[in-house]
Amino acid sequence: MITCDDELVETCRKLLKRSAWRIQYKTRIQQIRECNQLYDNQFYDNSFENMIISELFVDELLETLPWEKCRYIIKKTVIDGIPEQEVAKELHMTQQGVSKWKRKGLEILKEYLITSLKP
């Protein structure tokens, strides 16, 4: 048999649980918002800085290639993602010629990176 006191205790227990859940939920939402703001600001700063460093590094690497045409082909095909056929039309050469220049340049860059990373 449920008494009036038992009902009152159960009602109070439910209210307390609901209040505690709301407080926890609000706290979690606030933490998520604060963390997202910190992360967004940090991510933006880092990504911008990393982007600039990456571009400078790539430009520096491309300067190690002895031929301007090779630099141009690698920049267009590898970095900008333009198809070899379009670059070939632009330079008035065959797609196979662009492919050979690209392969030659990438081999030189690979060798340069391997030798520069050795202690």
Side-chain angles (χ1 to χ4, degrees):
M1 180 171 185
I2 300 177
T3 63
C4 191
D5 288 338
D6 291 338
E7 286 180 17
L8 183 62
V9 167
E10 190 61 33
T11 304
C12 287
R13 195 175 285 150
K14 285 181 182 178
L15 287 172
L16 281 172
K17 281 184 178 180
R18 192 174 302 144
S19 296
W21 185 87
R22 284 183 182 150
I23 290 170
Q24 287 176 342
Y25 179 78
K26 286 180 180 180
T27 304
R28 244 184 277 131
I29 295 299
Q30 184 65 30
Q31 285 176 337
I32 289 169
R33 285 183 185 147
E34 289 172 357
C35 288
N36 282 342
Q37 288 175 349
L38 288 174
Y39 178 74
D40 288 344
N41 289 339
Q42 184 179 18
F43 183 74
Y44 176 76
D45 292 341
N46 284 341
S47 68
F48 180 73
E49 183 178 330
N50 288 339
M51 182 183 71
I52 296 298
I53 290 171
S54 295
E55 285 181 17
L56 290 172
F57 181 70
V58 168
D59 288 342
E60 213 175 284
L61 270 178
L62 287 176
E63 288 301 316
T64 62
L65 294 172
W67 309 284
E68 182 63 35
K69 185 185 284 189
C70 192
R71 278 185 229 131
Y72 182 80
I73 289 172
I74 289 180
K75 186 167 175 54
K76 289 292 183 181
T77 58
V78 177
I79 297 169
D80 297 340
I82 297 173
E84 289 178 358
Q85 279 187 321
E86 287 184 30
V87 176
K89 285 179 187 175
E90 211 175 292
L91 296 174
H92 306 293
M93 58 190 305
T94 64
Q95 184 264 328
Q96 291 84 3
V98 170
S99 180
K100 286 180 183 178
W101 275 104
K102 178 177 145 184
R103 188 173 47 249
K104 187 186 293 188
L106 290 175
E107 286 175 12
I108 291 171
L109 291 176
K110 177 181 153 189
E111 289 300 318
Y112 175 78
L113 287 172
I114 288 171
T115 57
S116 67
L117 293 176
K118 284 185 180 178

